[in-house]
């Protein structure tokens, strides 16, 4: 019995500790705010809002057909994991005239998972460029008004990201072309912001019960 206990202490506990601390760069504390008070998406689509939601915001422009693979990556690695959480949504900004492409993409995503929280906001070229510029990131839109990067926006319309990413320094968005980046970085950061709001909710409940 003593021998088993010693083996557990020597081998199992260090492994558990390693996995715990290696599970993410930002597991402790809040996810930094990089841009405060970005515009509401209702400026483009009056049926949608960023207020009160944790939003994964992307820009597909007129390139939906070319960015389908990115959407599927995002759906599999992020949406499937977190889509059941309350107040979580995906919003993709698309150029006017591509509504049918957006509807087809949502239908295809719906064959892989419940796509109820996938939404699309439409605007013309100038509107999309203006909205994107106000995110104040280091990412540029391509000529088709799209980017493979998506962004985490909190319930107060602040863009969240990393200030000390090991590869990029300040990290505004996540490249949906890279499954590794979605797995190793974005998933971790979405966990953090969800945990942040769950903790705030618990604290509020505790204060009410006093």
């Amino acid at each position: 019995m003593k021998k088993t206990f010693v083996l557990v202490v020597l081998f199992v506990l260090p492994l558990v500790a390693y996995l715990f601390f290696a599970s993410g760069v930002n597991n402790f504390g809040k996810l930094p705010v990089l841009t405060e008070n970005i515009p509401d998406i209702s400026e483009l689509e009056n049926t949608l809002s960023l207020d009160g939601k944790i939003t994964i915001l992307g820009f597909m422009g007129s390139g939906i057909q070319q960015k389908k693979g990115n959407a599927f990556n995002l759906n599999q690695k992020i949406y499937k994991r977190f889509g059941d959480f309350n107040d979580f949504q995906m919003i993709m900004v698309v150029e006017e005239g591509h509504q049918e492409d957006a509807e087809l993409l949502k239908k295809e995503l719906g064959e892989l998972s419940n796509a109820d929280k996938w939404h699309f906001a439409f605007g013309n070229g100038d509107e999309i460029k203006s909205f994107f510029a106000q995110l104040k990131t280091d990412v540029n839109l391509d000529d088709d008004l799209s980017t493979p990067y998506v962004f985490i926006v909190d319930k107060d319309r602040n863009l969240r990201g990393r200030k000390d990413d090991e590869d990029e320094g300040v990290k505004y968005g996540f490249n949906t072309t890279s499954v590794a980046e979605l797995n190793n970085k974005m998933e971790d950061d979405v966990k953090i912001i969800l945990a942040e709001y769950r903790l705030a909710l618990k604290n509020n409940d505790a204060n009410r019960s006093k």
Side-chain angles (χ1 to χ4, degrees), residues 163-179:
K163 290 185 176 179
D164 57 354
D165 180 70
E166 63 270 25
D167 299 313
E168 302 175 37
V170 178
K171 184 169 183 59
Y172 288 92
F174 301 86
N175 190 346
T176 56
T177 304
S178 171
V179 172

Side-chain angles (χ1 to χ4, degrees), residues 118-129:
W118 273 90
H119 305 293
F120 297 89
F122 300 93
N124 62 42
D126 289 339
E127 289 170 336
I128 293 173
K129 288 176 184 177

Side-chain angles (χ1 to χ4, degrees), residues 90-151:
M90 317 282 284
I91 296 181
M92 299 292 122
V93 178
V94 175
E95 188 176 22
E96 280 283 357
H98 295 271
Q99 280 86 343
E100 287 187 10
D101 288 337
E103 289 175 12
L104 179 60
L105 176 58
K106 185 166 183 174
K107 181 179 179 181
E108 292 175 351
L109 291 168
E111 293 172 359
L112 302 171
S113 61
N114 184 329
D116 288 352
K117 294 182 180 179
W118 273 90
H119 305 293
F120 297 89
F122 300 93
N124 62 42
D126 289 339
E127 289 170 336
I128 293 173
K129 288 176 184 177
S130 174
F131 183 82
F132 182 80
Q134 293 176 82
L135 301 184
K136 299 177 183 177
T137 74
D138 58 359
V139 176
N140 295 316
L141 289 178
D142 294 334
D143 291 340
D144 63 359
L145 303 173
S146 76
T147 173
Y149 286 85
V150 294
F151 308 92

Side-chain angles (χ1 to χ4, degrees), residues 33-140:
V33 172
L34 300 182
T35 306
E36 294 183 351
N37 195 32
I38 69 172
D40 196 4
I41 199 69
S42 60
E43 292 185 9
L44 296 178
E45 193 71 37
N46 60 18
T47 60
L48 299 175
S49 178
L50 300 176
D51 289 325
K53 302 281 187 180
I54 297 167
T55 304
I56 306 303
L57 178 66
F59 293 78
M60 303 187 83
S62 61
I64 292 181
Q65 295 296 328
Q66 292 74 32
K67 292 292 188 293
K68 274 188 178 182
N70 301 67
F72 291 141
N73 287 344
L74 191 61
N75 190 71
Q76 293 299 106
K77 299 302 177 181
I78 302 299
Y79 182 76
K80 273 191 170 183
R81 184 174 182 108
F82 302 109
D84 289 335
F85 284 88
N86 291 334
D87 304 327
F88 182 87
Q89 64 180 354
M90 317 282 284
I91 296 181
M92 299 292 122
V93 178
V94 175
E95 188 176 22
E96 280 283 357
H98 295 271
Q99 280 86 343
E100 287 187 10
D101 288 337
E103 289 175 12
L104 179 60
L105 176 58
K106 185 166 183 174
K107 181 179 179 181
E108 292 175 351
L109 291 168
E111 293 172 359
L112 302 171
S113 61
N114 184 329
D116 288 352
K117 294 182 180 179
W118 273 90
H119 305 293
F120 297 89
F122 300 93
N124 62 42
D126 289 339
E127 289 170 336
I128 293 173
K129 288 176 184 177
S130 174
F131 183 82
F132 182 80
Q134 293 176 82
L135 301 184
K136 299 177 183 177
T137 74
D138 58 359
V139 176
N140 295 316

